[in-house]
Amino acid sequence: MTRADELFKQNIQNILDNGVMSENARPRYKNGETANSKYVTGSFAEYDLANGDFPITTLRPIAIKSAIKELLWIYQDQSNDLDVLENKYGVKYWRDWAIDDGTIGQRYGATVRKHNIIGNLLEGLAKNPWNRRNIINLWQYDDLAETAGLMPCAFQSMYDVRRVGDEIYLDATLIQRSNDMLVAHHINAMQYVALQMMLAKHFGWKVGKFFYFINNLHIYDNQFEQANELLSREGTDEKPILKLDVPDGTNFFDIKPEDFVMENYHPVKPQLKFDLAI
Ligand SMILES: Nc1nc(=O)c2c([nH]1)NC[C@@H]1CN(c3ccc(C(=O)N[C@@H](CCC(=O)O)C(=O)O)cc3)CN21
Ligand SMILES: O=c1ccn([C@H]2C[C@H](O)[C@@H](COP(=O)(O)O)O2)c(=O)[nH]1
């Protein structure tokens, strides 16, 4: 099993054994019932990407390409429009969170565009890679107040460079306030590693370490069967690795979904089904 699989199983076991139940949680299942969850607070993991760690589980198939496309929709298209996500990229899984105008509200890509977050980030790293102010923060109170819509979950990331010998490594931290662990833990982690890889390529650097902090890590009360099924599975010993197959210095905005290649990824089947909390 990979380190990501071991961490995943530890997290599942920890939530089942030591977690507490939410009371009166916000989301609803499709049948209208309140979606409460069992959760722990303050989860942290560190992945040494430069040494072959990668934050993907092999205990079930993860929608890797969809996760990357969603990321490009947010940070390249800088869009909140579900038509773009669905028609340009073929990713359908956000539809249940549409607001009246067919967007997900003034959130994510719309926030990135409004505050020129990628422009500012690239400029800061270009001017002085050793500046310690490389922050993406999607939690903009004025944006959140502007429209309805789900609040961003993976809302902040930070970037720092480190020289080792001749190479410069880019390290990243992702901070997430809330995580539906069985559904989106690895989607969120690997999509932010993909973003780290895009930033590194843009400057001709290598990816170094990825730090992942989650404040509320939960398993919904309709997912305990899937949680136990995952605990009973043994992942593969091969180490999956995501590669970004473009030359060093490729512009951030020129990277395409097909430039990402996932190797050694043979997840355990069958796929699990989830009735999502909306
Ligand atoms: N409760 C909840 N969990 C989430 O993970 C989540 C939300 N809400 N709301 C907003 C977005 C939407 N996200 C989603 C929604 C659905 C899938 C999903 O259906 N995943 C399937 C396969 C998807 C596919 O193959 O395209 C899975 O098995 O993981 C994943 C992420 C992540 N986010
Ligand atoms: O990228 C994402 C987006 C959403 N989620 C999950 C985390 C929660 O289960 C819900 C959001 O509900 P809140 O009541 O707003 O916390 O969506 C995720 O894990 N990753």
Side-chain angles (χ1 to χ4, degrees), residues 142-185:
D142 52 342
D143 290 18
L144 303 182
E146 204 173 307
T147 65
L150 194 72
M151 301 299 201
C153 291
F155 71 92
Q156 181 163 301
S157 57
M158 301 185 277
Y159 303 86
D160 279 276
V161 297
R162 208 164 24 92
R163 183 185 289 286
V164 183
D166 290 339
E167 299 286 6
I168 291 179
Y169 289 85
L170 183 70
D171 297 340
T173 300
L174 173 62
I175 299 182
Q176 184 157 352
R177 64 173 180 83
S178 174
N179 183 216
D180 181 348
M181 184 173 70
L182 303 194
V183 173
H185 187 78

Side-chain angles (χ1 to χ4, degrees), residues 27-37 60 96-97 180 182-183 218-226 272-278:
R28 297 281 176 274
Y29 297 123
K30 286 232 160 73
N31 67 9
E33 282 174 22
T34 298
N36 276 306
S37 61
R60 77 175 187 92
D96 286 333
W97 292 272
D180 181 348
L182 303 194
V183 173
H218 46 267
I219 296 176
Y220 281 101
D221 61 7
N222 70 352
Q223 299 175 330
F224 294 136
E225 203 176 301
Q226 292 91 325
L272 305 178
K273 292 263 174 288
F274 297 97
D275 175 16
L276 259 67
I278 297 168

Side-chain angles (χ1 to χ4, degrees), residues 3 11 30 40 63 71 75 127 142 171 206 244 256:
R3 228 172 72 72
N11 279 330
K30 286 232 160 73
V40 293
L71 181 90
Y75 290 105
K127 271 195 189 147
D142 52 342
D171 297 340
K206 303 270 176 267
L244 177 51
K256 298 182 176 54

